[in-house]
Amino acid sequence: MKKTILFFIICFSFLNHLNAQTAPIFNLYKGTVDAKNPVTFYIKTEENPCTADLMYTAMYRYDKSGSWIQLNITQNVKIENQFVLVEHGFSGVMILKKTGNTFTGLWISPDTKKQLKIDVKEASMTKKEIEKYEKTLEKVNYENNDC
């Protein structure tokens, strides 16, 4: 009897833990770099299962290019809504501030000699578009990190 009760307690605790995790959030942002080059950002936000902190998986591209650039995003814990986005391969860094549904800030070249203004605003997506972006994000991540 004690084993049965213990089994149900463990199962209930496990289910509670699964329910406590929030579903991923998918966001699309469109705007410009240097006020003239159209760009698209795709950011997936989810809860880290180990720390409960938010973690981000992201990519962006210049709309005239077919290539997506994977981003490593870190949120500033001291300044709310401030983010650093590092391009895969360190080909550039962005320092962005989120206000409402927009990000503004700078793209900086690795040698810091070139700095371009970034302005992007959240755009809506259909479920089918989310699936398409998720598939692309998985492909980009695989291409960049496969052994």
Side-chain angles (χ1 to χ4, degrees):
M1 180 68 172
K2 286 182 183 180
K3 288 181 181 179
T4 305
I5 292 173
L6 182 60
F7 173 76
F8 283 114
I9 289 172
I10 291 171
C11 288
F12 181 73
S13 296
F14 179 73
L15 290 175
N16 256 356
H17 176 70
L18 288 178
N19 289 336
Q21 293 179 352
T22 57
I25 299 169
F26 309 98
N27 296 101
L28 186 69
Y29 295 89
K30 291 187 171 275
T32 59
V33 171
D34 201 24
K36 60 186 173 198
N37 298 310
V39 291
T40 300
F41 284 74
Y42 178 74
I43 303 172
K44 177 181 177 180
T45 307
E46 54 193 328
E47 190 177 278
N48 184 321
C50 298
T51 64
D53 293 333
L54 293 179
M55 60 184 197
Y56 306 92
T57 312
M59 63 184 179
Y60 89 108
R61 73 172 182 186
Y62 287 88
D63 291 353
K64 293 179 182 176
S65 166
S67 303
W68 287 93
I69 301 168
Q70 189 172 10
L71 297 168
N72 181 9
I73 301 178
T74 303
Q75 184 173 3
N76 187 335
V77 293
K78 294 182 180 179
I79 302 174
E80 188 176 352
N81 293 323
Q82 186 178 39
F83 299 84
V84 172
L85 297 76
V86 180
E87 295 177 356
H88 181 79
F90 192 59
S91 54
V93 173
M94 294 173 235
I95 299 174
L96 302 178
K97 172 102 173 141
K98 185 175 184 189
T99 307
N101 63 350
T102 64
F103 279 102
T104 57
L106 292 174
W107 175 88
I108 305 167
S109 65
D111 64 6
T112 70
K113 292 181 181 179
K114 193 172 190 181
Q115 298 186 10
L116 306 173
K117 187 176 179 192
I118 296 176
D119 286 302
V120 294
K121 185 175 184 176
E122 189 172 2
S124 60
M125 288 184 291
T126 65
K127 190 171 185 148
K128 189 171 185 171
E129 288 173 316
I130 291 171
E131 290 171 4
K132 180 184 99 177
Y133 284 115
E134 277 296 292
K135 191 173 187 176
T136 302
L137 182 61
E138 186 177 322
K139 180 182 178 210
V140 168
N141 187 45
Y142 177 79
E143 289 170 354
N144 290 333
N145 299 298
D146 184 42
C147 300

